[in-house]
Amino acid sequence: MSNRTLPKDFFFGAAMSGPQTEGAYQATGKLPNLWDLASDLDITKFHNRVGSYAGNDFTHRRDEDIAIFRDLGLTSVRTSFQWSRLMDADGRLNPEGARYYHELLAAFRAAGIDLFVNLYHFDMPAYLFRRGGWENREVVEAYANFARTAFAEFGQEVTHWFTFNEPIVEPQQRYTNAVWYPYHADFAQARRVQYGITLAHGLATQAFRQLQAAGTVRSDARIGLINCFTPPYTREDPSEADLEAVRVVDGIDNRWWLDLVTKGELPADILADLEHGGYDLGVRPGDAQIIAQGPVDWLGFNYYHPARVQAPSRTTDEHGNPVFAEEYVWPGAVMNESRGWEIYPKGIYDFAMTMHDDYPDLEWFVSENGIGIEGEAAGKVDGVIQDDYRIDFVRDHLNWVSKAIEDGARCRGYHYWAVIDNWSWNNAFKNRYGFVEVDLEHDYARHYKKSADWLRRVTTTHEIFQS
Ligand code: FCB
């Protein structure tokens, strides 16, 4: 059988973020962000006690990394501007931070790589978190001011903007699973945070449109939102209660954002459920107009694993929080044991077909996809990590992307998460995602893994090779 291919204009790139790569955490007048705060407060919460401070040393190796991206045939890269670097503590532009990002954009431009800019990757400035974070309207306004400032400052340079990466993840990881600072499981708080982020997105999108109409933002620039719209599956022969679990999980995690970015609304069934449960989102007059600003020009889809849910066996958990669903362990699941995530390449196709059927006009791209493995460096041959599993993983996902495009999906490109290994929140450097190793024992030196050569062949030919 011949290899599948991807369209000529399909783009390949890398996804990364400011807080996970930049380091230089006190340079350019950068303020502490939430990860610096969490690292300061309790470093034992981070794998091998590696906190946020150094990222993967990108700032010092910027030109080397850009040369790697180029050598691997990548034509775009997404990172984020850190709010804590670009803005000062009075909410004004920090000129040193602005210079940092102008230089970054110039360096990518010189290499012929399009830098996509995301404005928030779980990295609120610590002082704003102390003021109540997303639950405080002043913080929502501060984000809108940051976004407006960024659009004004870089409006002629950036063509692909995103308001948020995975807006559902802070509600989940901080306030539901409680594995990220402040390690506090509280369903009501999770939903208020989700609502605050929703408003922040609406205000930022509004600012973008206004500045574009005024000519401050270039006319060919686009704004989008990136989320892990993980498709929820249930048993093959579901009960009513299983389907109800799917409705709620899909509603809170996916439809909430999809309705926001396509219709400028939030799903009525979920709002009704929350009201019925006595959860107060703190809605104010005028909010509907902000939410109505939500529609975007295109979407990013981060896909690592599917969600499988079933009817819960209890209605509240040990924290007193409501339980709407519990995990369904599919007997056919293939697992990435390092991360505890199921590997299910067809999920990318199922999402593509949902988009095709329900939101046919919206373009999108795979904005993150990747596999993080622990202890890879142990199996080196002649100093090279033998990561055939990474080739298998990406090949299988790309094959489904190719089929989806054949079946009409408006998927324009693929960004691999962490082409170069980087720091992953509380897991720090535990699981490595890269096609390029970062050697922590030798001053963050970069080394190609076996898979890098395969990636280069795919990006330069658009043919999805078996191995
Ligand atoms: C995603 C995040 C990204 C990275 C990967 C592994 O959820 O967007 O920052 O940590 O997981």
Side-chain angles (χ1 to χ4, degrees):
M1 211 184 66
S2 61
N3 296 328
R4 282 193 157 272
T5 56
L6 286 157
K8 285 250 169 317
D9 60 353
F10 187 87
F11 61 82
F12 287 99
M16 59 189 219
S17 80
Q20 292 171 275
T21 60
E22 286 175 6
Y25 83 111
Q26 286 172 325
T28 71
K30 183 183 164 300
L31 304 169
N33 68 28
L34 202 35
W35 294 98
D36 304 329
L37 173 68
S39 303
D40 288 348
L41 288 174
D42 186 357
I43 196 68
T44 67
K45 297 277 193 189
F46 293 84
H47 182 73
N48 282 348
R49 297 172 173 249
V50 176
S52 58
Y53 316 118
N56 71 356
D57 203 34
F58 172 75
T59 298
H60 298 121
R61 294 173 172 274
R62 187 190 69 199
D63 295 337
E64 180 187 351
D65 285 1
I66 292 175
I68 289 172
F69 294 138
R70 217 181 122 91
D71 176 53
L72 292 175
L74 308 176
T75 57
S76 52
V77 169
R78 186 241 316 182
T79 192
S80 64
F81 285 178
Q82 294 197 67
W83 186 350
S84 55
R85 196 183 294 285
L86 190 65
M87 305 297 282
D88 71 14
D90 297 318
R92 285 189 299 250
L93 184 82
N94 162 22
E96 280 186 82
R99 194 174 321 122
Y100 178 96
Y101 290 119
H102 280 299
E103 285 174 9
L104 181 72
L105 284 158
F108 273 98
R109 219 171 16 246
I113 297 175
D114 189 0
L115 190 67
F116 293 12
V117 175
N118 168 39
L119 290 173
Y120 189 83
H121 208 119
F122 323 136
D123 60 336
M124 182 175 287
Y127 80 96
L128 291 172
F129 183 79
R130 289 203 189 88
R131 288 186 196 164
W134 293 119
E135 292 168 87
N136 179 350
R137 287 295 173 113
E138 286 172 25
V139 172
V140 170
E141 290 289 345
Y143 170 83
N145 174 51
F146 156 54
R148 201 177 300 113
T149 306
F151 299 143
E153 181 70 21
F154 303 96
Q156 295 303 315
E157 291 184 66
V158 177
T159 39
H160 298 93
W161 291 96
F162 299 92
T163 56
F164 281 87
N165 175 74
E166 300 187 347
I168 192 58
V169 164
E170 286 195 298
Q172 281 171 346
Q173 294 291 70
R174 299 194 194 288
Y175 306 107
T176 306
N177 306 328
V179 293
W180 286 1
Y181 181 78
Y183 314 110
H184 183 58
D186 180 342
F187 179 83
Q189 196 175 10
R191 300 291 75 78
R192 290 196 300 271
V193 165
Q194 181 164 353
Y195 189 66
I197 293 174
T198 303
L199 296 172
H201 165 83
L203 289 172
T205 308
Q206 180 177 39
F208 177 87
R209 304 271 181 235
Q210 286 167 348
L211 289 171
Q212 193 167 42
T216 311
V217 164
R218 35 192 301 161
S219 57
D220 60 351
R222 302 211 284 171
I223 187 128
L225 177 96
I226 293 168
N227 196 33
C228 39
F229 301 100
T230 310
Y233 301 90
T234 188
R235 305 166 171 282
E236 272 173 29
D237 188 15
S239 66
E240 286 286 310
D242 292 327
L243 294 175
E244 173 64 2
V246 169
R247 179 189 68 82
V248 177
V249 171
D250 191 38
I252 292 179
D253 294 358
N254 301 326
R255 287 187 289 115
W256 181 286
W257 309 107
L258 287 169
D259 284 3
L260 171 68
V261 299
T262 57
K263 297 187 257 182
E265 289 169 8
L266 299 176
D269 59 318
I270 297 299
L271 293 179
D273 290 350
L274 292 174
E275 192 175 339
H276 185 73
Y279 297 105
D280 183 5
L281 294 174
V283 177
R284 294 189 186 168
D287 284 1
Q289 282 87 324
I290 298 174
I291 291 167
Q293 303 295 321
V296 294
D297 303 321
W298 71 330
L299 277 189
F301 171 45
N302 291 357
Y303 180 67
Y304 292 90
H305 58 87
R308 295 190 191 273
V309 300
Q310 61 183 341
S313 52
R314 53 185 184 161
T315 52
T316 45
D317 68 10
E318 59 280 17
H319 309 287
N321 290 315
V323 179
F324 299 104
E326 70 188 29
E327 193 187 347
Y328 167 56
V329 180
W330 181 44
V334 175
M335 300 298 291
N336 165 7
E337 301 293 347
S338 299
R339 189 61 184 76
W341 282 346
E342 183 186 336
I343 301 174
Y344 188 65
K346 182 171 177 284
I348 224 163
Y349 177 82
D350 292 343
F351 171 79
M353 289 302 111
T354 302
M355 289 296 293
H356 177 262
D357 297 344
D358 298 350
Y359 309 95
D361 297 332
L362 204 57
E363 286 192 4
W364 57 279
F365 73 114
V366 178
S367 40
E368 288 182 26
N369 178 234
I371 181 167
I373 298 291
E374 185 169 7
E376 290 188 314
K380 284 189 177 178
V381 174
D382 295 333
V384 178
I385 290 175
Q386 302 294 304
D387 56 343
D388 296 271
Y389 42 81
R390 184 159 290 109
I391 297 173
D392 296 345
F393 182 96
V394 178
R395 179 201 59 222
D396 292 350
H397 284 80
L398 286 179
N399 277 331
W400 281 110
V401 170
S402 158
K403 170 145 176 57
I405 293 172
E406 199 173 283
D407 293 348
R410 303 190 69 193
C411 176
R412 300 301 183 222
Y414 176 92
H415 279 189
Y416 183 80
W417 173 259
V419 163
I420 301 173
D421 286 343
N422 67 20
W423 183 83
S424 256
W425 321 117
N426 289 74
N427 278 338
F429 282 95
K430 175 177 171 289
N431 305 316
R432 302 304 191 91
Y433 290 82
F435 287 93
V436 180
E437 177 194 4
V438 168
D439 185 350
L440 297 184
E441 308 296 319
H442 295 94
D443 193 30
Y444 299 86
R446 275 60 169 149
H447 305 296
Y448 282 126
K449 302 180 190 176
K450 180 181 176 185
S451 56
D453 180 55
W454 176 85
L455 178 68
R456 191 187 299 103
R457 284 190 289 133
V458 174
T459 60
T460 51
T461 61
H462 289 207
E463 181 171 344
I464 308 166
F465 294 99
Q466 286 304 303
S467 59

